[in-house]
Amino acid sequence: MEKYKYVIIGNSAAAVGAIEGIRVNDRDGSILSISEEPRWAYSRPLISYYLNDEAVEKRMGFRGEAFYHGKKVDCLLGIKVITADLSARTLKLSNKESVGYEKLLIAVGGKPIVPEIKGSNKAGVMTFTTYADAQKLRKGITSRKNRRVVILGGGLIGLKAAEGLIEAGVKVTIVELAKHCLAPVLDETSARMVEKVFVDKGCNLYLGRTIKEIKGKNKVIGVALDDGTNLSADFVILAIGVRPRLELFEKSKELKTNRGVVVDKHLKTSVENVYAAGDVAEVYDFVIDGYRPVLIWPNAYYGGKVAGINMSGGDKEYTWATGMNAADFFGLATVSAGMIRVPENNPQEYEVITHHVPEKQVYKKFILKNGIVTGMIIINEIEPSGVILGLMRDKMDLSAVKDKLVLSDFGLAYLPEEVRKAKVNKQ
Amino acid sequence: MKLNEKTEQQKKRKRIVVKEEVCIGCKLCEVWCTVEHSPVKDILKAYKRQKHERPLPKLKVQVQKPLTFAVQCRHCDEPDCQYSCITGALYIDEKDGTIRHDPDKCIGCWTCILACTRGAIQRDERTKRIASKCDFCPGRETPVCVEKCPNEAMVIVEE
């Protein structure tokens, strides 16, 4: 049985970050990365762009063979971890081999939530989170004309898939249970602006609805919604959410899990020598001053990097993360970070500043507590968003300039002298 | 072992430092950045071009009169933009440690704009949507903005 100093279960953003982090402190310690998908690390968010443009395949690579070779990392591609013995520090793999480790990083990511729907066990029903999913869907939509796709879920994955499909000439219908799309990342006013762009592009949208039954014999021919509406469909994409993958550790008595793998600010789990990062981990979120899964690419990469630094003898706290999303839908730029809406239990502690210019498709909302920005949504004039996210992280009291936050040129120049000088020249 | 020890390239790197006290807000830095990044590095030819063909200046002068100063990418040792880039379009140059941007990989998601705490990245929507930021003028001894500033409001500092 081979033994490595560092083993990483996973080979996406968190794994890549971790490899780079480990090599900051440890140039030679052996590293093994185990990838369930049979390919080098790729940019998962690009899969929706592949639907419309086959050439995207060439741009999708995140790190290739040269990276792993240069960092002296062994990779097993297309291999699954079947069991993990955290006391013996060994893993049993799908290729019948076992591997041992000194330090382990759990970077298995998330998996799509698959709802129980009558008739969902048919060809043409799929989730949409991997390159293989995108290949399958693209093949399906390019092999025939008059394709119709119904997407269950109007979140980021659902809408980006819809955007890619619409660009490819497919007739798309989105069915969303909530009263507006993108509920985790936008409020109602901003979500309506995004919905309008999709509807203007010919997308059908059903809000406050879900799919009751998927129809067809062995292959999808349509769906029935919970209000009786019938829709034709060649494909049904289930995109109602992603959650941390915990199946490997569900039965573990030692590894503490909650909604995800529980970690501290150093990304250490409850088990000695075991770390977790990326979509699978419940990381520290500085806005809520608590821990929760943050299933976004930047958190995976940088969290992985800090985990790698700590696994290799460093001592770095990871307090950078919060929800942060940026997406462009057919030219409409949207960003959000932190709180999307005022917390229900104590709304009186928060102040909300909004700015809405419908004719320019501009909308901004800031949530503040004691002058500190705890949440931000911006549609269109997004340039100030980075400065503001930095100030959110600094927990700086912006009471003196809070009415300037909505200006399109808000930036360092609006900050007090010592603060802006420090920020403009920090290298 | 010191955590986050700077790499050898980062230690040797030249840095731009901005001096707001002597910036006069003339924006010549923006003009020369555009010229430097245009195909024929001639000021008249660069500005005669149609707007969509003229390179965006990769730095922006902040104005809150009488206060003015330029903000360009700091090529940070801990680059939030590169951490956040979902395609790997933003990467660390192996030779000089600067943060580079590959326009072929960029999909214009704007995550880097949300990540940069100085506001040094802009949207370039002239043809396809991509991010735009300072590249430290590869091929030049000194970035053109620093060289052409009439009042030395930007200086090079070597560590």
Side-chain angles (χ1 to χ4, degrees):
Chain A
M1 179 184 75
E2 242 195 298
K3 187 162 181 233
Y4 284 85
K5 189 162 181 194
Y6 307 96
V7 172
I8 303 172
I9 313 179
N11 188 23
S12 189
V16 169
I19 289 166
E20 294 177 0
I22 290 169
R23 288 288 178 242
V24 167
N25 295 326
D26 185 343
R27 296 284 142 121
D28 301 298
S30 56
I31 304 176
L32 172 70
S33 166
I34 306 170
S35 167
E36 190 179 77
E37 290 182 74
R39 46 184 53 90
W40 304 109
Y42 64 94
S43 163
R44 199 173 300 283
L46 279 187
I47 62 173
S48 66
Y49 294 80
Y50 176 73
L51 295 173
N52 175 45
D53 180 5
E54 205 166 16
V56 167
E57 182 179 7
K58 295 192 197 74
R59 298 153 64 193
M60 236 197 258
F62 188 63
R63 295 291 189 272
E65 188 167 4
F67 166 78
Y68 297 92
H69 184 76
K71 298 278 184 206
K72 294 191 281 191
V73 176
D74 287 348
C75 275
L76 290 173
L77 302 182
I79 301 292
K80 224 176 136 165
V81 173
I82 305 296
T83 54
D85 184 338
L86 301 180
S87 340
R89 297 203 210 168
T90 58
L91 308 172
K92 233 192 235 156
L93 309 180
S94 56
N95 62 358
K96 313 277 203 265
E97 289 179 12
S98 287
V99 70
Y101 62 84
E102 281 179 45
K103 311 250 178 168
L104 180 70
L105 177 69
I106 302 169
V108 297
K111 65 177 179 184
I113 301 168
V114 180
E116 299 241 356
I117 300 176
K118 182 177 175 191
S120 60
N121 190 16
K122 288 179 180 46
V125 180
M126 56 187 297
T127 53
F128 192 69
T129 58
T130 67
Y131 178 53
D133 294 333
Q135 282 178 308
K136 195 164 99 184
L137 184 57
R138 185 183 154 83
K139 188 162 176 224
I141 62 173
T142 48
S143 63
R144 50 185 292 179
K145 293 201 176 129
N146 302 320
R147 303 114 325 158
R148 300 145 306 177
V149 175
V150 172
I151 301 175
L152 180 65
L156 276 168
I157 293 179
L159 289 197
K160 282 312 265 184
E163 185 191 46
L165 291 167
I166 290 167
E167 301 269 22
V170 173
K171 185 75 191 140
V172 176
T173 302
I174 297 172
V175 179
E176 163 60 49
L177 187 62
K179 69 172 178 182
H180 64 80
C181 287
L182 294 169
V185 299
L186 292 182
D187 65 3
E188 182 169 353
T189 308
S190 44
R192 297 278 177 241
M193 296 166 77
V194 176
E195 288 166 6
K196 180 171 190 307
V197 172
F198 275 84
V199 168
D200 286 350
K201 289 274 179 179
C203 185
N204 287 333
L205 185 58
Y206 291 86
L207 294 165
R209 296 267 73 88
T210 189
I211 294 176
K212 191 156 164 239
E213 185 181 346
I214 298 177
K215 303 223 170 126
K217 208 161 155 227
N218 300 315
K219 194 173 177 336
V220 177
I221 58 165
V223 304
L225 302 189
D226 55 332
D227 67 350
T229 307
N230 282 309
L231 302 167
S232 302
D234 305 303
F235 293 94
V236 176
I237 300 177
L238 304 172
I240 63 168
V242 193
R243 59 166 60 118
R245 282 184 80 165
L246 296 177
E247 68 263 19
L248 247 187
F249 304 101
E250 265 158 354
K251 299 205 183 81
S252 169
K253 295 188 183 71
E254 314 141 285
L255 191 80
K256 192 152 175 255
T257 63
N258 189 22
R259 285 184 288 161
V261 174
V262 171
V263 297
D264 64 9
K265 285 181 186 170
H266 287 79
L267 296 155
K268 281 184 179 169
T269 69
S270 56
V271 177
E272 189 74 33
N273 294 314
V274 179
Y275 294 70
D279 282 2
V280 76
E282 269 191 20
V283 296
Y284 179 74
D285 175 332
F286 70 84
V287 169
I288 64 169
D289 188 25
Y291 292 77
R292 64 178 188 93
V294 178
L295 296 106
I296 55 167
W297 187 275
N299 168 60
Y301 175 85
Y302 189 34
K305 194 161 209 179
V306 176
I309 286 171
N310 292 333
M311 286 164 82
S312 54
D315 178 10
K316 187 168 172 70
E317 275 198 342
Y318 181 61
T319 54
W320 182 86
T322 187
M324 58 183 271
N325 284 281
D328 189 293
F329 299 104
F330 297 112
L332 185 71
T334 75
V335 306
S336 68
M339 292 179 180
I340 302 305
R341 44 194 70 83
V342 168
E344 281 171 355
N345 51 342
N346 54 346
Q348 66 285 356
E349 292 184 27
Y350 295 87
E351 181 185 356
V352 179
I353 299 172
T354 57
H355 173 75
H356 191 187
V357 187
E359 58 273 18
K360 281 200 201 161
Q361 285 186 301
V362 168
Y363 174 72
K364 304 181 195 196
K365 180 169 101 177
F366 301 98
I367 299 175
L368 294 91
K369 185 178 182 186
N370 302 325
I372 298 169
V373 178
T374 57
M376 153 173 72
I377 296 175
I378 303 181
I379 309 290
N380 240 338
E381 290 173 358
I382 62 168
E383 278 71 21
S385 60
V387 171
I388 298 171
L389 177 55
L391 295 167
M392 286 170 67
R393 226 177 255 128
D394 298 340
K395 298 213 174 355
M396 190 172 141
D397 184 339
L398 297 174
S399 304
V401 292
K402 65 183 183 187
D403 51 331
K404 307 277 194 281
L405 288 168
V406 300
L407 297 176
S408 60
D409 69 345
F410 181 81
L412 298 179
Y414 287 83
L415 303 178
E417 187 178 336
E418 332 82 60
V419 175
R420 70 169 180 261
K421 279 186 172 174
K423 276 184 182 282
V424 83
N425 281 323
K426 179 175 178 291
Q427 302 288 337
Chain B
M1 167 77 70
K2 248 202 303 194
L3 59 100
N4 284 335
E5 195 167 273
K6 288 188 186 175
T7 63
E8 284 312 307
Q9 325 135 331
Q10 285 171 332
K11 280 188 216 152
K12 278 187 270 177
R13 245 179 37 70
K14 296 181 188 176
R15 311 275 174 163
I16 298 175
V17 167
V18 163
K19 292 158 68 179
E20 62 173 53
E21 307 84 19
V22 295
C23 173
I24 57 174
C26 67
K27 300 195 184 177
L28 274 172
C29 49
E30 292 185 11
V31 169
W32 282 108
C33 180
T34 294
V35 173
E36 175 66 19
H37 292 90
S38 65
V40 182
K41 295 177 192 187
D42 173 280
I43 188 167
L44 289 178
K45 289 192 175 137
Y47 275 82
K48 269 185 76 175
R49 285 173 182 274
Q50 299 300 319
K51 205 156 185 214
H52 70 272
E53 291 175 314
R54 190 192 313 156
L56 282 184
K58 292 170 185 292
L59 78 172
K60 208 162 159 65
V61 173
Q62 310 287 301
V63 177
Q64 271 289 282
K65 289 207 178 132
L67 171 69
T68 56
F69 57 92
V71 172
Q72 69 271 80
C73 171
R74 282 287 160 267
H75 301 274
C76 303
D77 293 340
E78 300 198 8
D80 283 8
C81 63
Q82 185 258 337
Y83 296 162
S84 307
C85 179
I86 66 180
T87 64
L90 285 164
Y91 63 96
I92 303 175
D93 186 285
E94 302 249 292
K95 291 199 195 77
D96 61 19
T98 54
I99 312 299
R100 297 294 182 91
H101 178 252
D102 180 351
D104 290 332
K105 275 201 142 206
C106 183
I107 53 162
C109 68
W110 318 134
T111 306
C112 55
I113 293 181
L114 175 57
C116 176
T117 59
R118 327 342 168 77
I121 307 180
Q122 295 161 77
R123 290 181 281 172
D124 179 354
E125 295 181 290
R126 292 171 301 147
T127 44
K128 68 170 195 153
R129 285 188 285 274
I130 54 172
S132 168
K133 75 164 196 72
C134 163
D135 56 8
F136 214 78
C137 285
R140 283 190 73 97
E141 178 65 29
T142 306
V144 74
C145 56
V146 174
E147 193 180 294
K148 298 289 191 183
C149 175
N151 224 27
E152 291 182 24
M154 285 171 286
V155 293
I156 291 291
V157 164
E158 304 197 38
E159 296 234 321

